[in-house]
Every structure is written in C-alpha cells, then in structure tokens.
Amino acid sequence: GQSLEQPSEVTAVEGAIVQINCTYQTSGFYGLSWYQQHDGGAPTFLSYNGLDGLEETGRFSSFLSRSDSYGYLLLQELQMKDSASYFCAVNRDNQGGKLIFGQGTELSVKP
Amino acid sequence: KAGVTQTPRYLIKTRGQQVTLSCSPISGHRSVSWYQQTPGQGLQFLFEYFSETQRNKGNFPGRFSGRQFSNSRSEMNVSTLELGDSALYLCASSLGGLAGRTDTQYFGPGTRLTVL
C-alpha cells in the first residue's frame, strides 16, 4: 500500500521556525511536493523536491532524502497567516497528475 | 490568468441520486485531476484526464466516473450516491507534462457535496 506519515498538529509562535516532517512508503517515487491549505480554501503549491537536498523559496524550504524516504518542510519567520494545514504529497512516477497525499499537519501560529 | 473554477460550490443530494460536478482548468492546461477530501481519509486521488483520455485512476468504485472535453473542461459523475460520498471534491489542473516544479497542480475551490 501507499502511506505518508506526518504529524497531525504542530504549534509555534510568531517569528519562530517550524519543521514538518514527512516519511513515505510508496510503490514508486518520483518526487515530493508540499501544499498549504487554509480552512475552507483550496490547496496551494509550496515546494517540490525531485532530487535529494534542500530547495529554498523565500521563507519556506523543503528537504528530501530518497535513501531515508523522508522529507521536511521548514517554515521560517512564522506569521499568523501561516496557520493552515500542510500536506506532503508523492508523485509515484513522472506523470504529475496523480498525487498521493499525507493526512496533513495542522499548524497553529500563536502570537 | 483566471484560476481553476468549479461548479457548483455546494450541493445537497439524497442517497441513490446521481450528481455531476464541473471543473474548468486554467487556460492552456491539458491535465485535470480530481480528488476527494474528507476529514477521515484526507485527500484521495480519484482520476486524471489528459487530452480527453483518462490517464490515471485511483482506487474508487465504478460509481465514480469522469470525462474531459476538447476544451479541457472536465466533469465527474457519481451515481447511486451513498452517505459516505459526502466530501469536498477538488479538481486540479496542470500542463500535463513531467512531474516537477514546472508542472505543479493548481487546485480549484472545490464542490462541497452533502448526501442526506
């Protein structure tokens, strides 16, 4: 079967740094994506890792280790608006149209 | 550039009925994927259409079907509705090329389906 494990909840304060981990077990792996979803909103793309290492996009960075079947999303300089659910998602092959999602991590940013 | 649009936004049906949901992708996108989101199961892949052909299919019963038109607009249909079909149905569009940063999926706002 396919499984992606990520923490269900994380709480942090404004200005802090938070790391959301994702471990995966899938039949086939091509890349790992991260999506953000605010309550009642659509998931929006944050980052993608196809190769091992760190990808940085502004305050957000994402890391992948294929050998460990592990990745993480790092959010820096947290803001209240970062309170949302964060999903890791696996592309099992090179066709981008089908993502296998984790259950999501609800991030609460406190003042 | 206009985003992905889905209609209707909310829908209430009763068990046994059927429903059709519509998705209009971003202009130029040829791939449309459908996902079901529920609190218990999370986001689950239903199927993907590319150039009017179903390219990938998730693990859902045959009551769930879809199609794509020549203008890339897509519809999904659920027949013989069950209570468990109550969910947020999301569609996502992409260029349809190789997976990666350059072919990310853009999600629509979803259709909230309630089955009574």
Side-chain angles (χ1 to χ4, degrees), chain A residues 25-44:
Chain A
Q25 280 188 312
T26 56
S27 57
F29 178 86
Y30 189 81
L32 185 71
S33 299
W34 290 90
Y35 282 79
Q36 177 194 62
Q37 186 179 30
H38 285 97
D39 256 353
T44 55

Side-chain angles (χ1 to χ4, degrees), chain A residues 30-91:
Chain A
Y30 189 81
L32 185 71
S33 299
W34 290 90
Y35 282 79
Q36 177 194 62
Q37 186 179 30
H38 285 97
D39 256 353
T44 55
F45 172 78
L46 291 176
S47 190
Y48 174 84
N49 293 78
L51 302 173
D52 284 1
L54 193 68
E55 290 282 342
E56 296 179 86
T57 311
R59 294 188 298 115
F60 296 170
S61 303
S62 59
F63 172 83
L64 174 66
S65 168
R66 287 172 169 262
S67 59
D68 296 320
S69 299
Y70 163 77
Y72 66 72
L73 179 70
L74 192 73
L75 297 86
Q76 301 178 302
E77 301 171 19
L78 280 174
Q79 302 173 9
M80 298 293 289
K81 67 178 182 180
D82 297 329
S83 292
S85 291
Y86 292 83
F87 296 87
C88 59
V90 162
N91 288 101

Side-chain angles (χ1 to χ4, degrees), chain A residues 37 48 94-99, chain B residues 33 35 37 56 99 101 105 108:
Chain A
Q37 186 179 30
Y48 174 84
N94 64 359
Q95 290 180 349
K98 54 174 194 234
L99 290 170
Chain B
S33 298
Y35 295 85
Q37 187 173 29
N56 289 293
R101 180 172 297 277
Q105 292 197 20

